[in-house]
Amino acid sequence: MRTAPRTAQLLVVLALFTATAGAVAGCGDESAGSATRPDNARARAVADAWDGSKAAEVWRRGYHPLGESVQLPEGAFRDGDDKRAYLTENLVLRGELPLGGGSEAGQVTWDSGGSLELPLMDAREAYDTLAGGGNDGPRLTVTGAKPGRMKLATSRGTATVPAWLFTIDGYDTPLRRVAVTPSKLPQPPIKPSPAGSDAELRPLDRLAEVADGGRSVTVHAHHGSCDDGPVVGALETDGSVVLSASVAGTRDGICTSDLRAKQVTVKLDRPVGDRILLDAFTGWPVPYGQTKGPSASGS
């Protein structure tokens, strides 16, 4: 269910952690960590609050992507310099971008039926999400853009969504960037876990992938320098999958103040389907691709 992964997202996450929690010593691209299946009281409370709630009804009517917002040109990348330019968002514009949102009126259409109208970002706004670098290293040159469409995995199944198709010098096919933002999340029907109420529970970072027909969920979870890594458990109900993150093997000793991230894969008893993936700690749906502060879904 995942489109072309964007490793730059993780680099930004780790950079933010460095500024707030000391030097980062872990890599979130490691498929490490472990999974358990605890039925803890907090997970049960979150499930009970969401299942059948007005918030769940609103969430299911919205557009919540489970795939990357960018699809690379065919054959990307030609060489290491192009890859580095993309990962560092070092793009340069050598042409004109269209004004306005084009003829595609922000309509998301699901393969299973149904559609939703959403605000459409213009070409400049979409370009700016890709070109935040501005360094002296290798660059990719954008020569133009036009409105189009692309397929994307969402919480309601595969959808066709508006996109901007950017022409990249040296590539025969365009780079596609989704031109709509996710729906705003409803106010959760439960508050975050009270401070000190569960010393073991940790907030999740973000959703990385839903695979294996929806039976495998991979998330980025945090841990420190004096433990054996993150552990994520799943409580499944008819309406939700509540993920509880903690760490294993905590121990005393000289510990640095870094914050490490690892991927943890949780196997489910049945496919996620239209069930809501929830974070037991926050009580919110688990964000997809969260890197630069609150996502549009959580704004």
Side-chain angles (χ1 to χ4, degrees):
M1 297 178 64
R2 197 179 181 192
T3 57
R6 194 175 187 195
T7 308
Q9 290 187 330
L10 177 61
L11 300 179
V12 175
V13 173
L14 297 181
L16 291 175
F17 290 161
T18 301
T20 58
V24 174
C27 177
D29 277 343
E30 297 177 11
S31 295
S34 57
T36 60
R37 310 182 75 79
D39 186 356
N40 61 68
R42 171 64 184 178
R44 177 60 60 181
V46 171
D48 289 346
W50 273 91
D51 291 356
S53 68
K54 180 66 174 179
E57 181 182 340
V58 171
W59 184 87
R60 287 193 173 90
R61 292 200 302 262
Y63 160 64
H64 304 289
L66 298 179
E68 298 290 347
S69 62
V70 176
Q71 293 177 356
L72 298 176
E74 294 178 9
F77 293 99
R78 297 177 301 176
D79 52 39
D81 282 350
D82 280 5
K83 182 176 182 179
R84 180 183 173 191
Y86 175 72
L87 294 180
T88 57
E89 300 183 344
N90 207 26
L91 277 66
V92 59
L93 180 62
R94 294 286 186 267
E96 297 293 329
L97 295 178
L99 300 176
S103 60
E104 304 291 347
Q107 185 176 67
V108 177
T109 304
W110 279 272
D111 289 0
S112 59
S115 62
L116 182 66
E117 294 284 339
L118 290 170
L120 188 65
M121 68 175 67
D122 61 29
R124 169 58 67 172
E125 183 180 357
Y127 172 80
D128 288 345
T129 67
L130 302 168
N135 59 66
D136 294 330
R139 296 182 178 183
L140 285 174
T141 300
V142 175
T143 58
K146 64 180 181 180
R149 312 279 284 176
M150 62 185 272
K151 290 281 191 178
L152 186 68
T154 80
S155 59
R156 294 168 56 179
T158 302
T160 300
V161 301
W164 282 106
L165 281 53
F166 290 97
T167 305
I168 308 294
D169 187 35
Y171 292 87
D172 294 331
T173 58
L175 179 150
R176 299 171 185 264
R177 203 291 180 193
V178 173
V180 291
T181 57
S183 299
K184 183 176 181 179
L185 291 177
Q187 185 63 35
I190 187 170
K191 294 181 179 179
S193 183
S197 62
D198 189 339
E200 301 299 323
L201 202 60
R202 306 287 182 89
L204 286 165
D205 176 18
R206 61 189 173 99
L207 176 66
E209 182 181 41
V210 177
D212 191 24
R215 291 179 178 272
S216 173
V217 176
T218 300
V219 294
H220 288 273
H222 299 149
H223 70 109
S225 62
C226 285
D227 57 59
D228 294 332
V231 177
V232 179
L235 171 65
E236 300 187 47
T237 71
D238 289 340
S240 62
V241 177
V242 185
L243 301 177
S244 300
S246 58
V247 295
T250 56
R251 54 191 177 274
D252 296 330
I254 299 175
C255 304
T256 58
S257 60
D258 54 4
L259 185 61
R260 309 180 182 200
K262 285 187 177 179
Q263 288 188 353
V264 180
T265 297
V266 181
K267 299 295 184 180
L268 303 180
D269 292 333
R270 55 192 175 94
V272 175
D274 66 350
R275 294 184 293 171
I276 310 173
L277 287 170
L278 298 167
D279 182 343
F281 184 92
T282 64
W284 284 82
V286 181
Y288 181 87
Q290 178 105 341
T291 58
K292 301 179 181 178
S295 67
S297 291
S299 60

